Amino acid sequence: MGRDVEQGAFSREDRVRYRQKVRRCLDVFALMLDDFGFDADRPMTGLEIELNLIDAAAEPAMRNDQILADIADPLFQTELGQFNLELNASPRLIEGGGFADYEQDLRSSLSRADERAAKSDATIMMVGILPTLTERHLVADNLSTNERYRVLNDQIVGARGEDIELDINGVERLRTHTDSIAPEAACTSLQFHLQVAPDSFADYWNASQAIAGVQVAVGANSPFLYGRQLWAETRIALFQQATDTRPDELKAQGVRPRVWFGERWITSIFDLFEENVRYFPPLLPICEEEDPVEVLHAGGVPKLGELRLHNGTVYRWNRPVYDIMNDRPHLRVENRVLPAGPTVVDMLANAAFYFGLARGLAESDRPIWSQLTFSSAEENFHAAARRGIEAVLHWPRLGDVPVTRLVLDTLLPVAAQGLDRFGVAPAERDRLLGVIEGRCRTGRNGAVWQTETVWTAERSRGLDREAALHHMVQRYAELQRGNEPVHTWPVD
């Protein structure tokens, strides 16, 4: 939900009117899918990176307002916590040297932002969960000052009607309660956007769902929360629990969570928007003046504001997006499964692997979703979040297979073919997919490096867990600036 919100109290009439507007938007969207001209000639891509701010002691720095003012760049935006920022890269094609352009722009933007952050005694860090966060940091008072976050917090907590329980059982166990959605701010992600045509959207979304577990296993970078080692990608469990509007009784009745993997393969993007309207009550019933029917009949492009706002409060790991650019509507798959970091080159390797693999599978003669059950895809996703690069996943014709072998033997060639279809320069293709190969051959991603470094600090240096985590974060921040892939980082 990227829009500003001023209204905080909603009446019954607001909710009734909003529900009617959402359904009206859904009807118009169905008409548009039948015969409207969507922009899909040359598919653009996009990247969003959620960032952490730390001080010299590796503690979270609650200073995003001042730092954003100093950065003064519209590509940087506020995020949920005062120790968060978000960087939105300019959309572009990835053909030719598109990935190299991404890398140059991201490194340049981050370097400038880091210089500005230094004025506030802060440093930017890209990681799935900042390991030095504690419960005292993740409280409502540390939410960003933008009013939309307070309103969203009030609506989620109000819908639940009781404190939010966090219960994550991994290598160690965390059980605690919170009275706000502030723990969600710990989840800093890397999000990919891929523009697709209406008639191929289902193929790309299904392919994205099928490979979500593989992405998480290879890219895991969130092993610590509140001083405990939990899952390789703890962010998955934390995000789902920290935004759960359901008390135990509704969970027992099978009510869907707002952070949702889904429950079936789809045949159209309409399936996803229709599910949103059917299953999820509105959190932010804010209506706009536009009548989408009138706009459509007048030959215009409806904004479908209510439908888009509602979609922004259903947190699918692969989210459908309807948007308008240069007065033309388009559709995107927003891939949200990965954590931020560790480096720009690591994130672009993750991007190349996702874009290439999604296209390779979406355009295959025999779709992967015709061979893999949806429940198996979801089980793979959660197994990967727990075990990371050590996960064993289920794959058609291979059965249960270590994810590293699956990637090396089966999926990297598919990703390479997909990148070739995008027209990616062979040198860029090989360089970035080589990073994924390197992780799989060494068995080391961000999560593995973090845990190995903490263990070494505890056992060899005699540090307690808190001191070991601070040491690791400081070392991580140093190595991150070098932009060498994480599988090459020393453990010391």
Side-chain angles (χ1 to χ4, degrees):
M1 189 202 69
R3 57 178 291 172
D4 289 339
V5 174
E6 297 180 358
Q7 184 172 351
F10 301 107
S11 67
R12 294 178 180 178
E13 290 76 14
D14 290 332
R15 295 184 183 279
V16 170
R17 181 167 178 254
Y18 181 82
R19 182 174 283 109
Q20 292 171 343
K21 282 293 296 284
V22 167
R23 293 185 180 279
R24 192 170 178 85
C25 287
L26 186 65
D27 291 341
V28 169
F29 186 53
L31 294 174
M32 294 178 69
L33 290 174
D34 283 341
D35 58 8
F36 209 89
F38 285 82
D39 186 6
D41 300 333
R42 302 185 72 197
M44 301 287 282
T45 66
L47 296 176
E48 299 177 50
I49 310 170
E50 294 169 351
L51 309 166
N52 291 278
L53 298 168
I54 59 172
D55 62 19
E59 291 279 304
M62 307 293 177
R63 300 165 200 162
N64 66 352
D65 272 355
Q66 181 57 51
I67 291 170
L68 279 171
D70 289 338
I71 293 173
D73 183 342
L75 295 179
F76 286 86
Q77 301 291 330
T78 186
E79 249 300 330
L80 183 58
Q82 292 182 29
F83 60 95
N84 297 143
L85 301 175
E86 181 176 274
L87 169 58
N88 295 281
S90 299
R92 69 198 67 202
L93 301 170
I94 56 173
E95 67 183 20
F99 282 113
D101 292 341
Y102 263 132
E103 186 167 6
Q104 181 178 349
D105 287 355
L106 289 173
R107 294 192 70 189
S108 177
S109 294
L110 288 167
S111 178
R112 287 197 305 271
D114 227 6
E115 290 175 3
R116 305 299 193 278
K119 295 180 179 179
S120 299
D121 299 318
T123 298
I124 291 174
M125 183 171 171
M126 302 176 292
V127 65
I129 293 177
L130 180 60
T132 52
L133 285 168
T134 66
E135 290 185 75
R136 67 184 172 85
H137 298 124
L138 295 175
V139 295
D141 286 346
N142 286 335
L143 294 177
S144 289
T145 55
N146 191 308
E147 184 67 9
R148 75 173 186 255
Y149 299 121
R150 185 192 66 78
V151 174
L152 186 63
N153 176 74
D154 291 348
Q155 293 302 304
I156 288 178
V157 173
R160 185 180 176 92
E162 59 189 48
D163 282 358
I164 297 170
E165 181 182 21
L166 302 179
D167 186 355
I168 306 174
N169 193 8
V171 176
E172 299 166 350
R173 187 170 189 179
L174 172 68
R175 294 192 70 180
T176 187
H177 290 79
T178 177
D179 61 0
S180 75
I181 64 169
E184 183 195 339
C187 303
T188 39
S189 66
L190 169 66
Q191 298 164 19
F192 304 136
H193 291 256
L194 179 58
Q195 184 180 338
V196 294
D199 58 359
S200 61
F201 183 93
D203 293 343
Y204 277 87
W205 188 86
N206 289 341
S208 298
Q209 290 287 100
I211 63 175
V214 178
Q215 287 182 268
V216 169
V218 173
N221 195 30
S222 312
F224 293 102
L225 176 64
Y226 293 171
R228 292 174 175 83
Q229 183 184 346
L230 300 171
W231 295 7
E233 191 48 42
T234 305
R235 185 183 57 89
I236 300 298
L238 177 60
F239 189 47
Q240 180 162 337
Q241 294 181 22
T243 56
D244 200 341
T245 58
R246 306 168 303 162
D248 289 343
E249 295 80 3
L250 293 185
K251 294 178 187 177
Q253 294 173 32
V255 172
R256 281 86 173 169
R258 294 195 89 98
V259 177
W260 197 32
F261 189 81
E263 59 192 18
R264 62 184 175 120
W265 305 119
I266 64 168
T267 58
S268 166
I269 188 175
F270 183 82
D271 296 346
L272 301 176
F273 281 99
E274 192 274 334
E275 283 180 347
N276 289 353
V277 174
R278 180 154 43 104
Y279 293 145
F280 299 100
L283 282 181
L284 300 169
I286 302 168
C287 289
E288 300 186 3
E289 295 301 318
E290 176 191 79
D291 183 333
V293 174
E294 291 183 0
V295 173
L296 185 65
H297 287 167
V301 181
K303 295 179 180 178
L304 307 183
E306 293 81 6
L307 188 68
R308 293 162 70 185
L309 177 59
H310 188 55
N311 183 53
T313 64
V314 180
Y315 304 100
R316 296 178 184 271
W317 295 109
N318 284 292
R319 177 187 277 166
V321 176
Y322 166 86
D323 206 350
I324 301 169
M325 183 175 293
N326 299 324
D327 297 322
R328 290 193 67 186
H330 68 262
L331 305 177
R332 303 195 303 269
V333 177
E334 181 185 10
N335 178 256
R336 303 159 49 83
V337 305
L338 285 173
T343 64
V344 170
V345 72
D346 278 303
M347 291 187 292
L348 289 175
N350 290 337
F353 187 53
Y354 168 69
F355 290 137
L357 191 52
R359 182 159 187 173
L361 292 176
E363 297 180 358
S364 63
D365 293 334
R366 188 180 178 195
I368 187 66
W369 52 96
S370 70
Q371 307 167 62
L372 182 72
T373 66
F374 196 90
S375 61
S376 291
E378 184 172 13
E379 289 166 7
N380 283 346
F381 180 66
H382 288 104
R386 288 179 179 273
R387 299 281 296 165
I389 206 162
E390 297 178 353
V392 173
L393 306 184
H394 183 79
W395 202 255
R397 297 189 302 278
L398 298 177
D400 294 335
V401 57
V403 69
T404 51
R405 200 179 91 205
L406 173 63
V407 171
L408 290 170
D409 295 348
T410 303
L411 299 184
L412 277 176
V414 177
Q417 292 169 6
L419 293 177
D420 288 344
R421 292 175 186 171
F422 276 114
V424 174
E428 283 299 289
R429 175 200 66 201
D430 295 343
R431 179 176 73 98
L432 295 174
L433 293 185
V435 173
I436 303 299
E437 179 182 358
R439 283 188 217 153
C440 291
R441 294 202 183 281
T442 60
R444 178 177 293 171
N445 57 14
V448 172
W449 184 89
Q450 288 190 52
T451 55
E452 287 182 349
T453 302
V454 168
W455 293 342
T456 300
E458 290 175 334
R459 295 168 187 172
S460 300
R461 296 171 177 260
L463 302 181
D464 63 19
R465 176 61 62 83
E466 181 180 2
L469 287 170
H470 283 75
H471 163 76
M472 181 268 285
V473 168
Q474 290 173 323
R475 187 71 175 123
Y476 183 112
E478 292 171 5
L479 292 167
Q480 186 171 81
R481 286 191 287 273
N483 199 38
E484 294 296 326
V486 71
H487 72 273
T488 68
W489 288 8
V491 174
D492 51 25

